[in-house]
Amino acid sequence: MSNEQSSTDLTVSGAGTSPAAFQDPGMPPHQERMADKDPAAAKRAERQTVVLFAVSVLGTIGMLVAYFLFPSGDTVESMRTSNLLLGLGLFLSMFGIGAAAVHWAKTLMSDHEQAEARHPQKSDPETREAALAALEAGAKDSGIGRRGLLKGAVVSAVALAPLTFAVPLVGQVGGDWNVSNFRHTLWERGRRLVRDPSGDPIRAADVTIGSAYHVIPDGLREGEHASHWIEEKAKAVVLMVRMDPRDLTEAEDRRDWSYEGIVAYSKICTHVGCPVALYERQTHHLLCPCHQSTFDMADGAKVVFGPAKRPLPQLPITVDDEGYLVAQSDFTEPIGPSYWERLK
Amino acid sequence: MKAIAARRHHRLAPVALLLLALLVTGGLYAALAPSAASASAPSEDDIAAGRALFQANCATCHGPSAEGREGAPSLIGVGAAAVDFQVSTGRMPMQMDGVQAQAKPPQFDAEETSQLAAYVASLGAGPAIPSAEQVDPALGDAANGGALFRTNCAMCHGAIGKGGALSEGKYAPNLGPSTPTQIYEAMQTGPQSMPVFNDANLTPEEKRDIIAFLGEQDAGSPGGTDLGAIGPVGEGIWVWVVGMGLLVACAVWIGAKSS
């Protein structure tokens, strides 16, 4: 055993009570197992192992029986029964073998302690010198020190080759680096507010006090944005509620953004962009389920609790000639969480 | 009569007797049982009985003529649906003051509830109790109901309606024990924290679709236990505590010396 090095490593200098070097304590005294001393115990351990293997066999048979007798049919009950029985059978089948193998090894297989010493990983000095000499000889033979052009060529080739997979990999990250996409949504002057997901327009007169409407822009799946309508929807979703106008506190410059107590706010949390929609009618609070940011819908969607920093952006709304709710414009600030270029 | 008496030992006599008994029981039940939430114009007697019940049980908070007081809303114009929901789920009369009225075993039977509803409905027009056809899950489209539920309800009540937490101790209740009528009435009237979903927001057919979707959830989860269906938190705790615990126990067992 080459434990010279480890014993020197362990030397503690300056500590008076510690020994100069720790001795290898060696193996603890061997303790005989019951199965080694008592033939009856050995027999018992054998029987236990057999029982565990038998459990596995029964599990396998049970699973096969369940597979044929309880197929997963059309009803939820039959699926549940099938899944439960298949899973139980599979578990017993696998776990029985594993447990039996461990029990067998622990109680019946040979029980003598073995120690394998740790060797230093460093090669001996002769081998190291020979390796260095071989490398040097190779470099000398290639003439890389003398032929500068060759050196430049090999460095260029090796350095450029990784681009063959790096460029497509970066390309996969996404081709659209135009961050101003976050600044604009589908909302524009005169675009109707419609119900999600049916797309029915909403008459202001039908919105009773206490109502909450989940709103998307009209014509979401038409026109140039039809191919990426789901991204446009993710930016444009709005929660619209109506409350008693006397409960509403409005900033001077937003007085005409609501319509007779109907207010509409972006449904994307300004914290990390979860959809905020847990509206409590009595308190007018809007709770985000992800991190409990709470916004006061009666007071400009100001943050009253939680990690969000900014109020939810408000959608200015009004009604058109037919009495349907329409947007006055797009949101006047980027929706969703902060990002570097947000205020540029 | 004599002909019948002569055949009383006939081997089909018990069958005939059983059919007769069933017919009589069914007929009597149909004639005597109170029709479910008798939506057809309540009588003056019902309204009078409802007023008496209201004076005895509700007027303390809601005021002698249901005009409302500090902490208790006016009931004029809330309609029969709101009363039926609040009283049949036991939320009203309220047991104790708190952030939210709790569901409990109802204090009034179906007849008293309909009398109370008739009285409150007589104070001002409001949503009526839905008919049996309006809330029949068999007539709804569960797939459409699922889409509507995920848009309008799932954020509070959870993906399959098992409930969830709101702010300051309030919560959206589990919809499993609710009857189709109660679910319809809750959408129609918006009890407590819940917003109102009137017929312009969710049409009566859409409400029935949602009821059909919730009815399908009664069959349970196809994967075995649903662990409360509260989402990744419950499942994560199960995996980390029970699953990882079992793996640690196995590792300890494998590593331990045999005695």
Side-chain angles (χ1 to χ4, degrees):
Chain A
M1 295 225 287
S2 68
N3 55 1
E4 301 156 4
Q5 225 175 354
S6 55
S7 58
T8 31
D9 283 347
L10 280 170
T11 306
V12 182
S13 56
T17 51
S18 300
F22 287 103
Q23 295 300 311
D24 180 0
M27 290 287 178
H30 182 75
Q31 281 185 330
E32 284 223 305
R33 301 172 302 188
M34 287 298 286
D36 296 331
K37 290 184 284 194
D38 179 4
K43 199 78 199 155
R44 195 164 56 238
E46 190 184 341
R47 273 200 306 274
Q48 287 163 345
T49 309
V50 169
V51 165
L52 286 170
F53 277 124
V55 165
S56 164
V57 170
L58 288 178
T60 305
I61 295 172
M63 197 205 118
L64 293 177
V65 168
Y67 178 75
F68 288 109
L69 289 191
F70 299 96
S72 103
D74 290 334
T75 65
V76 171
E77 286 82 2
S78 71
M79 289 178 210
R80 183 162 51 223
T81 313
S82 169
N83 281 333
L84 182 71
L85 293 178
L86 291 184
L88 266 180
L90 206 60
F91 169 75
L92 292 177
S93 166
M94 297 294 162
F95 190 78
I97 292 178
V102 172
H103 194 59
W104 187 358
K106 285 180 65 164
T107 55
L108 294 174
M109 289 186 189
S110 64
D111 182 36
H112 51 262
E113 286 87 359
Q114 286 184 344
E116 199 171 345
R118 208 175 272 177
H119 300 285
Q121 291 193 320
K122 201 162 107 179
S123 306
D124 57 71
E126 294 82 38
T127 317
R128 292 156 62 90
E129 269 165 31
L132 270 180
L135 276 177
E136 272 166 20
K140 205 173 174 190
D141 193 38
S142 68
I144 201 161
R146 287 183 290 118
R147 301 183 201 272
L149 188 62
L150 205 57
K151 191 172 169 183
V154 74
V155 167
S156 311
V158 171
L160 287 179
L163 289 178
T164 53
F165 53 88
V167 169
L169 204 65
V170 173
Q172 289 293 318
V173 172
D176 193 356
W177 293 88
N178 183 5
V179 287
S180 72
N181 279 344
F182 294 107
R183 217 162 290 171
H184 306 290
T185 68
L186 270 188
W187 293 112
E188 61 192 358
R189 184 173 181 77
R191 193 180 279 273
R192 276 183 179 168
L193 282 72
V194 299
R195 285 168 50 207
D196 179 19
S198 69
D200 299 334
I202 305 161
R203 289 169 59 88
D206 289 339
V207 185
T208 46
I209 287 179
S211 285
Y213 277 69
H214 296 265
V215 169
I216 51 176
D218 190 20
L220 177 67
R221 301 179 76 160
E222 295 154 17
E224 54 182 301
H225 47 267
S227 60
H228 52 276
W229 66 273
I230 202 150
E231 284 148 31
E232 292 300 333
K233 179 179 176 179
K235 290 194 295 179
V237 279
V238 155
L239 183 72
M240 185 189 83
V241 303
R242 184 170 202 165
M243 59 189 83
D244 190 332
R246 286 169 295 182
D247 292 342
L248 206 55
T249 312
E250 287 179 295
E252 270 309 317
D253 56 337
R254 292 190 176 187
R255 285 233 178 270
D256 58 347
W257 284 20
S258 64
Y259 180 77
E260 293 183 0
I262 304 177
V263 287
Y265 286 96
S266 163
K267 218 159 86 173
I268 309 300
C269 187
T270 54
H271 175 220
V272 285
C274 290
V276 212
L278 285 76
Y279 175 60
E280 296 174 8
R281 179 176 63 83
Q282 287 172 320
T283 55
H284 310 305
H285 285 177
L286 184 65
L287 172 69
C288 179
C290 293
H291 305 99
Q292 281 70 52
S293 292
T294 310
F295 303 89
D296 189 352
M297 296 281 275
D299 187 13
K302 283 189 184 133
V303 183
V304 291
F305 181 79
K309 277 275 183 286
R310 286 177 284 115
L312 295 168
Q314 184 172 5
L315 182 71
I317 53 168
T318 185
V319 292
D320 63 10
D321 302 339
E322 296 170 64
Y324 288 105
L325 286 157
V326 294
Q328 291 185 30
S329 69
D330 195 357
F331 291 108
T332 54
E333 56 181 317
I335 55 101
S338 302
Y339 53 97
W340 289 328
E341 299 86 346
R342 184 174 176 272
L343 293 177
K344 274 186 193 162
Chain B
M1 205 63 207
K2 210 165 183 182
I4 297 174
R7 286 168 194 266
R8 69 186 187 275
H9 292 302
H10 192 275
R11 67 192 166 89
L12 286 179
V15 179
L17 211 59
L18 191 67
L19 280 175
L20 195 68
L22 282 173
L23 268 176
V24 170
T25 319
L28 277 176
Y29 180 81
L32 297 180
S35 59
S38 43
S40 53
S43 66
E44 284 300 318
D45 291 348
D46 284 343
I47 293 174
R51 182 183 293 119
L53 281 168
F54 186 90
Q55 298 299 344
N57 295 284
C58 320
T60 319
C61 302
H62 289 287
S65 40
E67 73 279 18
R69 285 186 178 170
E70 181 65 39
S74 162
L75 299 184
I76 298 165
V78 299
V83 179
D84 188 57
F85 174 83
Q86 299 283 357
V87 176
S88 73
T89 59
R91 287 184 166 83
M92 291 288 150
M94 212 168 161
Q95 196 165 33
M96 55 180 178
D97 208 2
V99 290
Q100 185 164 337
Q102 318 251 339
K104 60 178 186 297
Q107 200 168 320
F108 300 108
D109 61 24
E111 192 191 355
E112 290 166 329
T113 306
S114 69
Q115 287 166 345
L116 269 173
Y119 168 64
V120 172
S122 75
L123 300 172
I129 299 171
S131 68
E133 196 198 334
Q134 279 178 300
V135 300
D136 186 357
L139 299 175
D141 173 2
N144 187 40
L148 293 165
F149 190 87
R150 284 188 288 279
T151 303
N152 293 288
C153 326
M155 63 291 294
C156 297
H157 289 286
I160 62 167
K162 294 295 175 192
L166 294 173
S167 66
E168 294 170 6
K170 286 168 279 191
Y171 59 93
N174 178 4
L175 303 179
S178 306
T179 65
T181 305
Q182 287 164 353
I183 294 169
Y184 192 101
E185 289 165 347
M187 288 188 269
Q188 189 76 289
T189 62
Q192 303 186 54
S193 292
M194 181 166 161
V196 178
F197 296 92
N198 65 4
D199 287 349
N201 195 350
L202 292 172
T203 64
E205 292 75 36
E206 288 175 332
K207 288 192 175 79
R208 190 164 59 190
D209 292 348
I210 288 175
I211 289 168
F213 168 76
L214 287 170
E216 296 229 320
Q217 308 312 317
D218 290 344
S221 152
T225 172
D226 61 10
L227 302 174
I230 54 166
V233 174
E235 287 157 20
I237 285 178
W238 177 265
V239 167
W240 281 94
V241 174
V242 179
M244 296 292 278
L246 276 177
L247 288 180
V248 168
C250 284
V252 168
W253 174 56
I254 291 170
K257 255 183 169 317
S258 185
S259 59

